Amino acid sequence: AAALTAAGEGEVEYQADKPNEQEVEVTVNGLAPGTAITFVIDGQQIASGAADKRGKFEFEQKVKNGA
């Protein structure tokens, strides 16, 4: 079986007048299909799910600073 190499990127956006409200985006490619993913910020679970049939996991969510 060929080895999988996962890679991803994340982005956090916020407005200067509302720094406690952030939008978090994460994309990961190259996972085995069905791989379980849990995304945690400062010990707080923000998102979870599984890689799709192409081995991709992505989410976009608004979070408050301090989760």
Side-chain angles (χ1 to χ4, degrees):
L4 296 173
T5 301
E9 63 183 19
E11 181 177 310
V12 177
E13 298 176 350
Y14 65 92
Q15 294 178 339
D17 62 338
K18 295 181 182 179
N20 291 337
E21 295 179 16
Q22 303 170 351
E23 183 176 281
V24 177
E25 299 176 33
V26 173
T27 301
V28 182
N29 293 293
L31 298 165
T35 298
I37 302 291
T38 301
F39 189 73
V40 178
I41 297 175
D42 292 334
Q44 190 80 357
Q45 181 175 320
I46 302 301
S48 63
D52 65 17
K53 65 183 178 183
R54 298 169 298 148
K56 184 174 187 177
F57 173 79
E58 60 186 343
F59 80 93
E60 180 176 325
Q61 185 170 330
K62 293 187 186 291
V63 297
K64 295 214 179 258
N65 193 9

